[in-house]
Structure formats: C-alpha cells, structure tokens
C-alpha cells in the first residue's frame, strides 16, 4: 500500500511543479512584456517603416528613370559608338581583336556539352578566338568527360584549351585568375565569361565586342539572362520575376545614369586591360564579380548593359541550390561593402554623385537594407504582433 500511495503522489507533485514553472514564466512574461518587449517592437516597427520608405524612394526613382529612357528612345547605340566588325581586305582576320572565352566548371555532368558547344559555335574568326575550359571538377569521371569533349572540338579545328589546377583555392575567382596567367592570354584583348549552364547565341560576340572596340572608355559589356526553365515550378517562376526586375530596371538604370552596375559574373565581356588595372580577380568575398566591377569603376572605367542581347541559362530548381545562391548574393555584398566603403569614399577618380550612387543606392539600400527589412519585418515583427496586440503596425 505504501508503494502504491507513493506512485500516486509522484505524478501530482510533478504536475504541481510543472504548474509552478508555467505560472512563473507567465509572471515573468507579464513583467517584461509592457516595459521591454512592447517598446522594442515599436522601435522595430518604426525602423522598418523608415527602411520601407528608403526602398520605396529608390524604386520610384528607378521607375522614373526607366520611363524617361523609354520616352526618349535612348539606346546603347545612341550613347556609344557602334560599328559592326568587318573583315579588312588587306589585313584579313587580323582586323578582328583576339577574344578569350572562359568557361569555369565544377562537376557539371548535365550541361558541360551544351556550354562548350555553344562557346565553340560563336561567330568569330577561328584564329582570333580561344576557348578556355577551366575545370575544377573533383569527380574524375566528369573530368575525363569534359576533357574528351574539348578534344573532340579541337579535332574540328577549334582553338580550345582544357585547363586544370592542383587545388580549388579561391573557387571560381581562383580558376579565372589562374586562367588569365596562361601565356597565350597575353595576345588577347577581351575576355568573355560564361558559367557552365550558359548558352550564348552565335552572334553574341558580333553584338557586344564592337562597343568595346570603338569606345576605349568601356571596360565591360553585360548581356541579359534568359531562363529556359522558368516554368518548371513556382520557385523558378518567382526567381524569374525577381531577376527580370533586376535586369530590366536596376541594371538598365545603373548603365544609363552612372555607367556603373554590378557585373553578374557571367554573360559579360571584359576589356583585359581594365581587369588588370583593377587588380584582377580576388577571392576575398563570395561575390568576386561585384568586387572586380567596383574596383574597375573606381579606376574610372565605364560599363554598358545590353538588354537586347540575351543568354540562355537555368535557374536553381531545388531549394538547396536556391538557398546556397541567395546566401552568397545576400552576405557577399555586405561583406564587400564593409571592406571597400572607405576606399570608395577616398577615391578621387570618380565624381561625388557616383560615389553616392555606389555607397547609398547600390550597396546600402539594395544590398543591405532590402535584406534586413525582409527578415526583420516579415520573420520577426509581424509574427510577434500576433501574440502582442499592443504593438500596432500601420
């Protein structure tokens, strides 16, 4: 009987202890809610409203610029000199500049044939074009497949180089940097970069290179991305909407008003002299493309965005791949801004207006504020107001 009584008493005592803890937590919540939690949330709401206003002003400004561009009919051909490349009777193909096409790869089993084939199909004199496949693959089977594909195109008379390195230091930036060190690159004037899943049209070079040839102040010509799997699922459709805004508005405004925008890392043509003057590729952040663009801009170089030239590619269709991409695009710019803000402020080669654009619009509002408010407002403040009705969101 004693044991039975003890067994009966234990649950009641445990239950009482649980009730006591719940009561204590409830009292503690009541003590800190009004004097601490509510004021903090009200401050967060106010800050979110300020950041929302900053984003709104930036969006309205860019919309006005795009509208004026449409009404005025300004095009890249009206702002910069453009003449199609023609073969000289006396000089022959030597009138065409030497172009290097870099294709960085890493275990690209599904798309390596498409990307290499598209690059080898570019309309340009074969003796003035070098295709450089930078293979960082760790899968030996894929490595052999890529090398065989390069050999197959080489047998057709294409000047294609298969390059590997002993380590993956610097990842993509490291591969591009090592590729630029090859001896045959010294004869090249321009370098084109295509990621492994990008498939340019055959006329890509004939529509982009002339801008760089006839406008020595231009360092970069960036093309637009076109997505072949946008309708695969809801996630790819949403990505397409976001990136279409980026290319149609953000890149166009930067190109038209300041001759500066962030290099997208692929589907662009660089003047090699500008890359070298800016210090080449660096792997200090996860956005090596943006890093190079900012450094080249601070040297006084100008950029041109061509929205009419489109390069096919694929959007991340799995959440894991999308999360990795967004992490890089979110954290990398903030880290780069931290490293370069004082360098931008002290620079004497660019105007004050351009500095304001780079620091405030390009970095602070679009790359930092936009991500902060997305997380704080939608993931913290609004859910918290559900259980704390004292906090009012306008």
């Amino acid at each position: 009987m004693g044991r039975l009584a003890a067994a009966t008493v234990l649950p009641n005592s445990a239950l009482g202890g649980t009730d006591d803890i719940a009561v204590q937590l409830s009292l503690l919540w009541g003590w800190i809610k009004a004097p601490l939690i509510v004021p903090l949330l009200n401050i967060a709401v106010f800050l979110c409203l300020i950041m929302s206003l900053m984003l709104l002003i930036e969006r309205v400004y860019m919309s006005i610029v795009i509208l004026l561009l449409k009404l005025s009919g300004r095009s890249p051909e009206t702002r910069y000199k453009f003449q199609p490349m023609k073969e000289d009777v006396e000089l022959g193909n030597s009138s065409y500049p030497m172009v290097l096409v870099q294709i960085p790869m890493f275990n690209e089993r599904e798309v390596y044939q498409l990307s290499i084939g598209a690059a080898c199909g570019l309309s340009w004199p074969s003796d003035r074009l070098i295709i450089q496949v930078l293979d960082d693959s760790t899968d030996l089977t894929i490595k052999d497949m890529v090398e065989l594909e390069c050999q197959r195109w080489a047998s057709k008379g294409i000047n294609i180089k298969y390059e590997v390195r002993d380590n993956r230091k610097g990842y993509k930036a490291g591969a591009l940097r090592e590729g630029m060190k090859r001896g045959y690159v010294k004869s090249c004037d321009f370098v084109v970069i295509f990621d492994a899943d990008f498939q340019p049209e055959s006329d890509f070079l004939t529509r982009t290179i002339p801008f760089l040839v006839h406008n020595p102040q231009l360092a970069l010509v960036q093309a637009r991305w076109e997505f072949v799997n946008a309708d695969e699922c809801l996630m790819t459709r949403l990505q397409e909407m976001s990136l279409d805004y980026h290319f149609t508005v953000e890149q166009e405004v930067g190109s038209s008003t300041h001759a500066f925008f962030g290099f997208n890392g692929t589907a662009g043509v660089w003047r090699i002299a500008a890359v070298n003057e800016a210090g080449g590729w660096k792997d200090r952040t996860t956005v090596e493309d943006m890093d190079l663009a900012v450094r080249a801009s601070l040297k006084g170089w100008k950029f041109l965005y061509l929205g009419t030239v489109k390069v096919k590619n694929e959007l991340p269709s799995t959440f894991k791949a999308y999360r990795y991409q967004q992490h890089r695009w979110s954290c990398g710019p903030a880290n780069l801004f931290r490293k370069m803000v004082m360098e931008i402020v002290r620079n004497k080669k660019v105007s004050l207006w351009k500095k304001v654009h780079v620091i405030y619009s390009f970095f602070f509002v679009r790359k930092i504020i936009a991500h902060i408010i997305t997380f704080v407002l939608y993931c913290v403040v609004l859910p918290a107001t559900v259980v704390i009705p004292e906090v009012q969101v306008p």
Side-chain angles (χ1 to χ4, degrees), residues 110-130:
E110 303 296 331
V111 296
Y112 75 94
Q113 286 182 313
L114 293 175
S115 58
I116 294 176
C120 293
L122 291 170
S123 297
W124 202 256
S126 58
D127 59 334
R128 310 299 292 173
L129 182 67
I130 302 175

Side-chain angles (χ1 to χ4, degrees), residues 3 123 148-149 172 174 185 196 215 221 225 288 298 327 332-333 346 352 358 383 389:
R3 292 180 180 178
S123 297
L148 286 173
E149 184 69 10
K172 178 182 175 181
V185 176
N215 301 276
V221 173
W225 298 0
E288 67 286 332
L298 295 180
H327 178 269
R346 291 192 295 263
L352 177 62
V358 174

Side-chain angles (χ1 to χ4, degrees), residues 45-115:
V45 169
F46 175 75
L47 293 176
C48 287
L49 289 175
I50 297 297
M51 291 188 287
S52 296
L53 182 61
M54 294 169 65
L55 278 174
L56 175 63
I57 293 174
E58 180 71 11
R59 301 291 193 231
V60 170
Y61 158 71
M62 290 192 292
S63 299
I64 292 174
V65 172
I66 287 296
L67 180 61
L68 293 176
L69 288 173
K70 296 294 184 182
L71 294 176
S72 65
R74 291 185 66 195
S75 64
E77 289 78 9
T78 60
R79 302 198 309 270
Y80 295 96
K81 185 179 179 181
F82 179 87
Q83 292 181 356
M85 300 298 301
K86 295 181 180 179
E87 183 176 342
D88 191 285
V89 177
E90 297 181 356
L91 298 177
N93 289 340
S94 60
S95 61
Y96 285 77
M98 282 291 295
V99 178
L100 173 71
V101 177
Q102 289 186 313
I103 309 176
M105 289 193 173
F106 177 69
N107 293 337
E108 305 290 350
R109 180 187 295 271
E110 303 296 331
V111 296
Y112 75 94
Q113 286 182 313
L114 293 175
S115 58

Side-chain angles (χ1 to χ4, degrees), residues 195-391:
D195 282 351
D197 58 334
F198 278 70
Q199 304 162 39
E201 298 293 336
S202 60
D203 63 349
F204 178 87
L205 295 180
T206 58
R207 297 178 67 183
T208 56
I209 294 292
F211 281 104
L212 292 163
V213 170
H214 300 298
N215 301 276
Q217 74 274 28
L218 284 178
L220 167 68
V221 173
Q222 172 71 58
R224 182 173 175 170
W225 298 0
E226 185 177 33
F227 312 107
V228 298
N229 66 330
D231 295 326
E232 183 173 340
C233 60
L234 177 61
M235 187 172 67
T236 55
R237 180 59 183 152
L238 294 174
Q239 290 178 74
E240 182 193 37
M241 293 169 61
S242 174
L243 288 170
D244 276 351
Y245 175 82
H246 167 70
F247 283 106
T248 306
V249 179
E250 293 180 344
Q251 297 294 74
E252 190 67 68
V253 169
S255 175
S256 303
T257 57
H258 306 281
F260 168 78
F261 49 83
F263 175 45
N264 293 117
T266 180
V269 188
W270 277 94
R271 187 185 303 273
I272 292 181
V275 174
N276 294 334
E277 185 181 349
W281 293 98
K282 295 184 178 180
D283 53 12
R284 56 181 177 173
T285 69
T286 58
V287 284
E288 67 286 332
D289 42 14
M290 187 183 296
D291 188 354
L292 177 60
V294 175
R295 285 186 281 113
S297 177
L298 295 180
K299 293 293 183 180
W301 291 97
K302 295 183 178 181
F303 303 161
L304 173 63
Y305 169 69
L306 291 179
T308 55
V309 180
K310 301 179 181 180
V311 181
K312 296 178 181 179
N313 72 102
E314 293 186 1
L315 292 162
S317 57
T318 64
F319 181 72
K320 181 179 180 181
Y322 175 70
R323 183 182 63 181
Y324 174 79
Q325 180 199 70
Q326 292 301 306
H327 178 269
R328 188 175 73 87
W329 288 0
S330 301
C331 298
N335 190 23
L336 179 62
F337 179 63
R338 178 180 61 85
K339 293 176 180 291
M340 295 200 67
V341 60
M342 293 311 300
E343 183 180 346
I344 298 171
V345 171
R346 291 192 295 263
N347 186 273
K348 297 180 180 180
K349 288 190 176 182
V350 298
S351 64
L352 177 62
W353 177 236
K354 191 169 185 178
K355 289 181 184 180
V356 172
H357 169 71
V358 174
I359 293 175
Y360 177 77
S361 296
F362 180 75
F363 272 117
F364 190 62
V365 176
R366 300 183 203 171
K367 310 300 183 184
I368 298 177
I369 292 297
H371 296 299
I372 290 177
I373 191 174
T374 300
F375 175 75
V376 174
L377 179 61
Y378 296 106
C379 300
V380 178
V381 174
L382 291 182
T385 59
V386 175
V387 295
I388 307 176
E390 292 90 342
V391 178

